[in-house]
Amino acid sequence: MREEKKQQNVLSSGCPMTIYPPLPLLELLSYTVVTLGVIGYITFCVLRSSLVDVDALNPYDFEPGWSFLDRKKDISNFEWRFWYELFLAIYPWYIGHVILGKLAEWTFSQYRKVAFIVYSLICLSNVMGWRIICLIFAHSFISFVSSKLKSKKLVWIVSLFLLTTLNFEPGISWIKSLTDDKDEEQTFYLFIFALALSNIRYTSFALEKCGAVDDKTSTRTESDNQEYTADSLVDLALYIFYLPLFFTGPILTYDLFSKQFAMKLKWTKERIVLNALNILRMLFWALLNELLLHYLYFGALQQNRTVVASASLYTVAGIGYWQGQFFMNKYLVMFGLPSNIAKIDNFDPPKGPKCIAYIYLYSDMWKYFDCGLYRFLKRYIYVPLGGSQAGLLWQTIGSVCCFVFIFYWHGAEYYIFLWVLLNFVGVTMEGLGKYCSKLPMISKFQTETISPVSVRRLHAALSVPIFLTSAFAIFCFFGGHDVGYVFFIRLIIEGWPVSWLSLSVFLYCPIQIAMEINRRQMLKQKTS
């Protein structure tokens, strides 16, 4: 009884780390059966559509697959195809980096920074050309100079101005002119991606130089200020051009980068084995992604509005589901492989994305999908504006500014605006729900009128519309606003209210499963 009352108090607090009570075994089992059954069926629908509708799809979205499978491969996901091929091309450079890093660490550690910088510049010049390297350094140098005045406002003005040159003309045309590559689209994409990530890095460096606001996620102390301020261009060049994290990240803010670079960890057999296993795990997920693209053509199907408009609701739901899962798997590899290379250099980069099947709150999606970007936003935007400690108004203003930056950093296009807007609406709805749960009347209802298990069921039901909002935001992000609109029409408007009720029931079950997985993970962390 005492434990039940304790759970009630935790639930009524509206804390994001709520440990929900367990459900009756039969009820949990029924949710599991429904969830697995629905996922299995919508996957079958996508597979069937991949077989039946393949001739109606864009032939340029396919190429010959693995010969022993005798299947075409869906190559419509430009981002995955690009980075998969690039990683294959630069992997020998990673091996060279690892060898150089260990030699420098063991024999000439005083020149380790310079060795990393020179080697990275040789690699990047070979892959991207010297012109774009000079442009990245020019951007970084301008930000470095702006930080000399110790004004965070000036740093942000300069940073946003440099970001503007990536989003609008004539900056775009000028960047395109820096390449003489025949495949202009791919080279331009690489340039823009590298410049955008560099913008995050030199902004972090400059803000740290100006004295960034410390928060609970920081390990920085007053005695460390001189070390982390780092007023050297060599430090900036190392941070910007550090090879393992240069191309895709994950983002490591400068205060952590500088401290971790100075760490000296013992190179043990256990560390070698663990890192090798993690790299093999990333290669496994990469090959699994490739295998999926031979059988489930969700990317090519999504880009054909005629097929999506005529497909069954289960097929449409399956396309959306597998787009989300593939997106997570894609970034698991894109973040995971470079992270494990960086760990050999004693870095501890942010973890890769948490499986989206375990996430039912969209605020958790932002926290656990791209942890590096989340920390950047929190440390340099949200906390300086007051954060959650400054009241609801400033908390909202901080959230708005974070989402505005995300919109601008991702390219300032209409479909990005819709994605960001729906994200903000979802996160705001979630925050409003937590705020309302603290009101005396609602808190009393949850703690005295209904049981903790009923509170869990209520919270799961209230999470459904927020989850749907986030799902349509993702659809806009994957395929543009036209695709997002088609998904909304098919899954919500057509067949109303049956389609809405069916979708709500189907989402309620996996939300309960996600709650249970999170409950067990938190209990395990609490007891460990």
Side-chain angles (χ1 to χ4, degrees), residues 94-105:
Y94 281 162
I95 295 174
H97 173 91
V98 170
I99 295 172
L100 175 66
K102 286 302 148 190
L103 286 175
E105 184 179 335

Side-chain angles (χ1 to χ4, degrees), residues 101-236:
K102 286 302 148 190
L103 286 175
E105 184 179 335
W106 295 334
T107 58
F108 48 94
S109 58
Q110 67 272 29
Y111 300 112
R112 187 165 167 243
K113 286 183 182 180
V114 176
F116 275 160
I117 293 171
V118 171
Y119 183 83
S120 295
L121 291 178
I122 293 173
C123 170
L124 298 176
S125 297
N126 180 271
V127 174
M128 304 173 67
W130 63 270
R131 295 176 183 175
I132 194 66
I133 301 302
C134 291
L135 179 59
I136 292 173
F137 185 80
H139 279 208
S140 304
F141 182 75
I142 292 170
S143 180
F144 176 82
V145 172
S146 71
S147 68
K148 287 290 186 180
L149 296 178
K150 305 293 183 182
S151 170
K152 285 180 278 189
K153 291 181 180 179
L154 178 61
V155 168
W156 273 115
I157 291 172
V158 170
S159 176
L160 293 176
F161 170 76
L162 294 173
L163 199 57
T164 301
T165 64
L166 313 184
N167 294 341
F168 304 104
E169 296 289 357
I172 293 175
S173 296
W174 187 72
I175 293 172
K176 286 182 178 179
S177 70
L178 295 179
T179 176
D180 51 8
D181 197 319
K182 293 181 180 180
D183 198 342
E184 183 182 278
E185 180 186 6
Q186 291 198 14
T187 307
F188 176 71
Y189 170 78
L190 178 60
F191 285 4
I192 290 294
F193 204 99
L195 283 163
L197 277 179
S198 298
N199 178 270
I200 289 280
R201 295 189 185 106
Y202 59 66
T203 301
S204 173
F205 182 96
L207 289 173
E208 292 295 332
K209 186 172 169 58
C210 293
V213 174
D214 290 324
D215 60 28
K216 295 180 181 179
T217 64
S218 175
T219 56
R220 179 177 171 183
T221 62
E222 289 299 323
S223 61
D224 295 325
N225 279 345
Q226 186 175 359
E227 176 186 356
Y228 294 137
T229 299
D231 56 0
S232 169
L233 276 174
V234 174
D235 295 314
L236 175 61

Side-chain angles (χ1 to χ4, degrees), residues 390-404:
L392 184 60
L393 175 61
W394 281 103
Q395 184 177 353
T396 304
I397 291 174
S399 295
V400 170
C401 290
C402 287
F403 281 108
V404 168

Side-chain angles (χ1 to χ4, degrees), residues 34-54:
V34 171
T35 299
L36 294 178
V38 170
I39 292 175
Y41 184 69
I42 62 178
T43 300
F44 166 76
C45 290
V46 175
L47 176 60
R48 182 178 58 189
S49 184
S50 300
L51 295 170
V52 174
D53 299 319
V54 63

